[in-house]
């Protein structure tokens, strides 16, 4: 069974600084998708970024980028120029076929 | 935003009573999902559906049943609620008609408390 591990239950960063959230996963498949979701206090799940495993190029979305290391089964999220609105729970997720498997989450605090 | 509506958004019930949560989508997507969210566990899949009357179990399906009689509606039923089913429940739909691709879009969640 696929598993996703986020080893950092909590992280904090100063406003305008850069922070990296870690995620590792376990799979024997070669074709899959990876995602980072953000959950602010409103509880809404918001897609931040996605990565297709067959693509070597790391995905980027404005201030958000990933470091995808397929051989190491690692998928970290880098947030540049952190803003107060980035404060949230962040979930890493793996998709193969119909199912999306989530990590335990990392709570990110932004210090003004 | 994807058209996903969950009801009720909040519910308090007593142990042993039946509970049904409803998920309604206006996107005409084939795949629908029920997850539960608990501290320290992230989101865990309860059941999912890949078409009308086609459903399958997820990793935490014990104590739950689902039904999908129409494309737009996916119901989650707790036949006899227990305190361990106190949680926040999320419905999701697949953003792609393909089985293998795409992100999921989520509803706003339903907080269930079982006393």
């Amino acid at each position: 069974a696929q598993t996703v591990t986020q080893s950092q239950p909590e992280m904090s960063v100063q406003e305008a600084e850069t922070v990296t959230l870690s995620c590792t996963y376990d799979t024997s498949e070669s074709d899959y998708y990876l995602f980072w979701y953000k959950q602010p206090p409103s509880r809404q799940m918001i897609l931040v970024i996605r990565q297709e495993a067959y693509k070597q190029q790391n995905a980027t979305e404005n201030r958000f980028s990933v470091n995808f290391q397929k051989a190491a089964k690692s998928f970290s999220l880098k947030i540049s120029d952190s803003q107060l609105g980035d404060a949230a729970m962040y979930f890493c997720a793996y998709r193969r076929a119909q199912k999306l498997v989530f990590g335990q989450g990392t709570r990110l605090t932004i210090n003004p | 935003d994807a058209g996903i509506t969950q009801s009720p958004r909040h519910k308090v019930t007593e142990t042993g009573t039946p509970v049904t949560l409803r998920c309604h989508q206006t996107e005409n997507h084939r795949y629908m999902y029920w997850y539960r969210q608990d501290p320290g566990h992230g989101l865990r899949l309860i059941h999912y559906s890949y078409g009308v009357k086609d459903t399958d179990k997820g990793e935490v399906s014990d104590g739950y049943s689902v039904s999908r009689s129409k494309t737009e509606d996916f119901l989650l039923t707790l036949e006899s609620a227990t305190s361990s089913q106190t949680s926040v429940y999320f419905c999701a739909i697949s953003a792609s008609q393909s089985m293998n691709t795409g992100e999921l879009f989520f509803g706003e969640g339903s907080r269930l408390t079982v006393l």
Side-chain angles (χ1 to χ4, degrees), chain A residues 37 39 50 95 97-98 100, chain B residues 33 35 37 99 102-104:
Chain A
Y37 281 87
Q39 187 181 44
R50 58 178 280 177
R95 179 170 187 174
Q98 306 96 321
L100 194 65
Chain B
Y33 306 80
Y35 284 85
Q37 182 179 12
M99 183 178 70
E103 62 269 31
L104 270 60

Side-chain angles (χ1 to χ4, degrees), chain A residues 8-58:
Chain A
Q8 307 154 315
E10 297 183 349
M11 292 281 286
S12 63
V13 64
Q14 291 295 126
E15 191 176 4
E17 296 295 311
T18 296
V19 64
T20 298
L21 308 184
S22 301
C23 174
T24 58
Y25 57 95
D26 182 27
T27 184
S28 58
E29 304 292 341
S30 60
D31 184 20
Y32 50 87
Y33 287 74
L34 297 165
F35 306 92
W36 279 98
Y37 281 87
K38 168 186 177 181
Q39 187 181 44
S42 67
R43 208 167 64 193
Q44 182 68 42
M45 294 290 288
I46 302 166
L47 178 69
V48 175
I49 200 165
R50 58 178 280 177
Q51 174 80 44
E52 293 90 339
Y54 64 87
K55 290 186 177 179
Q56 292 186 335
Q57 185 174 7
N58 289 326

